Amino acid sequence: MQRQSAARLGPLLLLLLLPLAWGKGPSPPRAAEELQVSNRLAGQAARVALHYLNYRLGSPSALRALGQVRKATLKTIPGIGHKYYLQFTTEDYKSSLNVGTCLATVFYLKRKPRPAVNINCTYTKDQKQIREDDYSFYKKMRQQTKPIIGNDIPDSYGNIEPALEPAWALAVAGSSYLMWEKSTENLGYFMAQVKNVKQWITKDDSIDFDYSVVLHEIPTQEMISCHLRVIWTPGHPLKVKYFCLSENQWSESEEGSGTESGSTNGIFNEKEAHF
Amino acid sequence: MFLANPSNMRLILFFSALAGAAWCLETFAGDQVLRVKASSEEEINKLQLLETLEHLQLDFWRRPSNPELPVDIRVPFPSLQAVKVFLESHHIEYSILLEDLQVLIEEEKQEMINNQRRERGTSNFNYGAYHPLDSIYAALDDLAAEYPSLVSKQTIGESYEKRPMYILKFSTGGTNRPAIWLDAGIHSREWVTQATALWTAKKIASEYGSNPSITSLLNRMDIFLLVVTNPDGYAFTHTNNRMWRKTRSKISGSLCVGVDPNRNWDAGFGGPGASTNPCSESYHGPSANSEVEVKNVVNFIKSHGKIQAFLTLHSYSQLLLFPFGYKCTNPADYNELDAVGKAAASALASLHGTTYKVGTICSTIYQASGGSIDWSYDYGIKYSFAFELRDTGRYGFLLPASQIIPTAEETWLGLLKIMEHVRDNQ
């Protein structure tokens, strides 16, 4: 009897011991790996999250820049992609003053063209002031009989003509859409300069701008030229069309809320997120 | 109207004799300016005749027209005697307005130089502005002139387009003392680096003797400063393309120009993080040290033989980096370099709150082969650091000039921290 059960046990035992025999063998999906706050991929992911936020907020007066990464975690999902969990501070784009903290996930998917972003931020900047600033820019542009035009913003010496500053800020917002779309885990972008801005006088409620922008691509160091068409009404999603010189087709923003690629609303309810 | 009378014939003969003389008009030595008062139409005619005699090389500052107005003539030295004889023999009144033109010109030139130097003078040079290459080079001269016992200007070679590569040597004496190397502007579009380096030069020069730290350092060590490592690129950013990064060397077999000088060093050359495409911004070039700008620095460092620290300035990102970039493994001196880097970043932040991240190139910025501080470290210069100055992307390369001095001031604190460590650990 015993000899019979031992015989059946044998192969079972072997099976259990196989992983040891192979050595390391195939590993299960890794648990979240904490990254150093100075890790460049963490910073890059935070920037992608902010591109998405700046585009979705669609407000030249509410643009944010990255402050400091406070916490970063990376989860690798084999065959699917890399998901970053981030906590970072933000600064007002113009004044550099701290304007709040954000929690975000940035999911670089192997099969999708652009990173999926979830971001939730605190606001310390006065919302009323933001709306007023946006509206006063909007009103001024609506009142133009001659279209606003400009070149090289900032110029070689870093100057931005005060009259053109809001148009520059709108270019940053519009470029944010494009930079979010183009970003990958390893390729990041900054808007280096507005080479050209030209306003289209519209008959409807929107203000409409044509931009030529130059993006700085990291780590390749290339300067990418893109054309942007930005159509904006305060309180409405930005409408952005773009065409970069290395590509051969126009890309457009969606009319909807873009929930499939990310969201800025809702409670952060990822169980695995430890912050 | 020219009348063929005997007196005129004499004129022609007389002056023709002088035609064979050799004119050496490079200077105005001995030239005089004569003021001639013609008192009749006839005399005017004679002066007009004089004008036609080209071999005299007369330069009429005021031409003969009517007897009411004086005629001013610059007479070259070789023609002086002939002209005076002519005027005197025809009883035409004249006086010497300017006795020796060259002397006057020399005096004027010197005055201009003094004025410019006074005007520009290192105390009036605007360190808070971006300057074209010529102005920067003039400022180097001014520094050497203003602090002659401390600062001297040397050349380490020429760029591809034959522009001189000037370094400033800060030395209180000795022979071939151990030294610190600092360079800026290897990537020409990073304008805040050349501006910071120039400010730093002034800072070092003016603080020697009053700042105990820099004084003790310079009493033991020399400092070499290369303000514009890539002058061809820098000139190009002013004339053609503000965003130009590379050198301006022609690449055989390609329409594209330029090599990334910070991928061209002999450290993991041709490895990851550098491009093989000549049209790329990070093209590493046909071979290590193919770029004369890089070669000149390498030659200088090697022939000096006692460089203890290799520091280089870039922008932007606010990072303080040490090797390696060509491989993602830590250098043997990781702990020390990290500690020094952190101390330097802390000192830097103490001034305006500007935060820097510290780490190896590979982990902090990206993997990049053929970089200068990797080469210097592998060559044996332990204290090899690269700064990426302001900002973090808002203005990027187009940093407003108003941020030059704050950037330079805070960077100085970081540099000083590193240099003090080098001084104390020789």
Side-chain angles (χ1 to χ4, degrees):
Chain A
M1 221 21 83
Q2 268 193 342
R3 243 179 279 135
Q4 258 187 332
S5 29
R8 244 177 273 142
L9 219 57
L12 211 76
L13 266 168
L14 259 174
L15 215 62
L16 288 170
L17 293 169
L18 268 172
L20 286 170
W22 279 346
K24 286 199 192 129
S27 45
R30 245 175 284 153
E33 171 199 344
E34 178 133 7
L35 302 171
Q36 284 195 305
V37 293
S38 60
N39 183 297
R40 65 184 157 98
L41 294 181
Q44 200 145 286
R47 240 173 248 116
V48 169
L50 280 177
H51 289 327
Y52 179 76
L53 179 77
N54 285 331
Y55 156 61
R56 288 307 308 280
L57 286 181
S59 159
S61 316
L63 292 170
R64 298 194 195 217
L66 179 62
Q68 302 293 319
V69 175
R70 293 279 180 237
K71 193 154 177 166
T73 312
L74 168 62
K75 192 173 7 171
T76 306
I77 301 149
I80 309 284
H82 293 163
K83 192 165 187 179
Y84 289 78
Y85 297 79
L86 306 156
Q87 184 185 355
F88 51 89
T89 62
T90 58
E91 297 174 352
D92 179 62
Y93 207 86
K94 268 172 271 181
S95 68
S96 298
L97 296 170
N98 192 299
V99 287
T101 313
C102 300
L103 293 177
T105 62
V106 177
F107 202 169
Y108 298 104
L109 298 140
K110 286 196 199 297
R111 265 170 269 281
K112 272 247 170 108
R114 62 192 179 189
V117 178
N118 267 285
I119 181 167
N120 215 327
C121 302
T122 62
Y123 290 85
T124 57
K125 198 174 179 184
D126 183 2
Q127 293 303 294
K128 187 160 164 284
Q129 188 62 51
I130 290 173
R131 276 195 295 273
E132 281 176 14
D133 292 342
D134 273 354
Y135 191 71
S136 100
F137 165 55
Y138 169 76
K139 210 167 73 164
K140 210 189 295 181
M141 295 299 106
R142 289 291 303 145
Q143 287 165 352
Q144 292 290 131
T145 45
K146 245 178 52 175
I148 296 274
I149 53 166
N151 281 318
D152 289 346
I153 312 160
D155 66 16
S156 287
Y157 306 89
N159 298 318
I160 298 179
E161 227 177 292
L164 289 173
E165 222 210 291
W168 171 75
L170 189 64
V172 175
S175 298
S176 297
Y177 171 70
L178 135 66
M179 293 190 287
W180 162 49
E181 288 225 319
K182 286 174 82 65
S183 292
T184 67
E185 194 171 359
N186 291 299
L187 273 182
Y189 297 89
F190 295 91
M191 194 194 84
Q193 192 180 38
V194 173
K195 289 300 284 179
N196 217 283
V197 54
K198 183 175 171 272
Q199 182 186 13
W200 292 101
I201 307 288
T202 62
K203 292 198 176 71
D204 60 31
D205 284 343
S206 66
I207 60 173
D208 190 339
F209 285 89
D210 232 349
Y211 293 103
S212 281
V213 299
V214 180
L215 303 184
H216 179 208
E217 185 181 75
I218 301 282
T220 62
Q221 295 292 340
E222 301 297 327
M223 306 306 288
I224 316 279
S225 293
C226 300
H227 286 284
L228 274 186
R229 184 72 176 266
V230 181
I231 298 165
W232 180 57
T233 315
H236 289 73
L238 265 185
K239 280 209 270 257
V240 184
K241 274 193 256 217
Y242 71 85
F243 177 101
C244 293
L245 289 185
S246 58
E247 297 165 6
N248 48 24
Q249 56 188 8
W250 284 93
S251 297
E252 275 185 49
S253 60
E254 295 137 11
E255 292 285 86
S257 58
T259 46
E260 48 160 320
S261 287
S263 73
T264 59
N265 307 317
I267 303 157
F268 204 82
N269 58 6
E270 270 280 3
K271 292 196 199 81
E272 287 92 55
H274 320 286
F275 283 94
Chain B
M1 188 178 302
F2 179 59
L3 298 163
N5 58 45
S7 115
N8 285 341
M9 295 312 280
R10 240 183 291 143
L11 245 183
I12 295 167
L13 219 68
F14 184 73
F15 287 125
S16 303
L18 294 169
W23 305 117
C24 184
L25 290 171
E26 270 173 88
T27 74
F28 298 96
D31 292 7
Q32 288 185 349
V33 179
L34 306 178
R35 173 153 284 178
V36 184
K37 298 231 61 235
S39 49
S40 66
E41 277 294 330
E42 209 204 327
E43 289 189 355
I44 290 287
N45 286 341
K46 291 207 160 72
L47 292 176
Q48 283 170 340
L49 171 63
L50 216 53
E51 245 187 313
T52 65
L53 300 176
E54 281 176 28
H55 64 278
L56 291 175
Q57 304 260 303
L58 300 178
D59 178 11
F60 280 79
W61 287 9
R62 272 210 235 217
R63 300 193 51 248
S65 51
N66 79 61
E68 301 290 306
L69 302 168
V71 177
D72 292 343
I73 317 172
R74 176 180 67 82
V75 184
F77 180 71
S79 309
L80 253 184
Q81 199 179 37
V83 171
K84 283 181 178 173
V85 164
F86 170 76
L87 291 174
E88 279 159 21
S89 67
H90 284 90
H91 307 292
I92 302 176
E93 212 186 295
Y94 75 95
S95 60
I96 300 174
L97 206 56
L98 297 172
E99 277 230 47
D100 188 333
L101 204 56
Q102 186 61 24
V103 169
L104 197 73
I105 289 173
E106 293 296 328
E107 279 172 15
E108 194 186 34
K109 222 198 293 180
Q110 191 53 48
E111 239 233 293
M112 261 182 16
I113 291 172
N114 291 340
N115 271 339
Q116 280 174 353
R117 210 152 265 168
R118 240 177 283 131
E119 235 175 85
R120 251 186 351 233
T122 61
S123 50
N124 292 333
F125 183 82
N126 188 358
Y127 289 94
Y130 293 114
H131 296 276
L133 190 64
D134 295 339
S135 299
I136 293 182
Y137 279 5
L140 298 179
D141 283 328
D142 290 347
L143 277 167
E146 192 174 337
Y147 304 94
S149 53
L150 180 68
V151 184
S152 59
K153 189 184 85 170
Q154 297 174 8
T155 166
I156 61 168
E158 289 180 337
S159 67
Y160 182 84
E161 290 175 342
K162 303 280 180 277
R163 291 183 175 84
M165 288 177 68
Y166 294 127
I167 56 171
L168 289 181
K169 176 181 181 182
F170 299 82
S171 179
T172 60
T175 322
N176 195 227
R177 281 184 176 165
I180 291 171
W181 168 270
L182 174 60
D183 69 68
I186 193 170
H187 289 139
S188 36
R189 63 190 179 198
E190 299 166 8
W191 279 16
V192 73
T193 68
Q194 298 94 333
T196 293
L198 203 50
W199 181 96
T200 304
K202 171 71 173 172
K203 182 72 169 174
I204 296 171
S206 58
E207 294 263 298
Y208 175 74
S210 54
N211 179 320
S213 200
I214 199 71
T215 304
S216 73
L217 191 141
L218 283 170
N219 285 341
R220 281 193 257 166
M221 301 180 77
D222 295 342
I223 298 175
F224 290 97
L225 175 56
L226 176 57
V227 174
V228 189
T229 308
N230 178 5
D232 297 348
Y234 190 63
F236 200 71
T237 60
H238 283 270
T239 56
N240 288 70
N241 180 354
R242 175 61 177 84
M243 297 299 187
W244 190 261
R245 166 185 168 88
K246 304 189 284 182
T247 61
R248 291 294 302 163
S249 57
K250 307 251 183 305
I251 303 159
S252 107
S254 177
L255 288 172
C256 290
V257 175
V259 166
D260 184 340
N262 207 32
R263 301 286 184 278
N264 189 246
W265 300 70
D266 194 4
F269 177 83
S275 175
T276 53
N277 179 354
C279 301
S280 163
E281 294 279 27
S282 57
Y283 173 52
H284 52 53
S287 59
N289 300 324
S290 63
E291 300 314 281
V292 64
E293 294 84 356
V294 170
K295 191 84 185 114
N296 288 339
V297 177
V298 170
N299 285 345
F300 176 83
I301 302 278
K302 283 184 168 175
S303 59
H304 184 279
K306 284 164 93 183
I307 303 291
Q308 312 286 305
F310 187 96
L311 310 173
T312 185
L313 301 183
H314 288 261
S315 78
Y316 56 93
S317 280
Q318 291 171 206
L319 307 169
L320 182 42
L321 309 165
F322 51 91
F324 290 108
Y326 71 85
K327 54 185 175 182
C328 294
T329 52
N330 290 340
D333 301 293
Y334 178 88
N335 290 334
E336 187 183 355
L337 294 178
D338 190 56
V340 174
K342 288 204 160 77
S346 183
L348 190 154
S350 70
L351 193 61
H352 300 299
T354 308
T355 55
Y356 269 57
K357 294 208 259 287
V358 181
T360 67
I361 297 173
C362 185
S363 67
T364 315
I365 192 167
Y366 42 69
Q367 189 174 13
S369 58
S372 66
I373 68 169
D374 283 356
W375 170 79
S376 62
Y377 184 80
D378 279 347
Y379 183 68
I381 300 172
K382 175 164 56 160
Y383 300 108
S384 294
F385 288 94
F387 284 74
E388 288 275 359
L389 303 180
R390 290 195 195 182
D391 60 9
T392 53
R394 240 178 230 82
Y395 290 96
F397 301 122
L398 307 180
L399 195 71
S402 56
Q403 291 197 44
I404 293 174
I405 292 182
T407 300
E409 288 175 332
E410 65 194 13
T411 305
W412 170 244
L413 297 180
L415 287 169
L416 192 55
K417 204 43 125 189
I418 296 174
M419 296 199 289
E420 285 165 349
H421 185 90
V422 176
R423 174 198 68 196
D424 298 339
N425 285 273
Q426 280 190 74

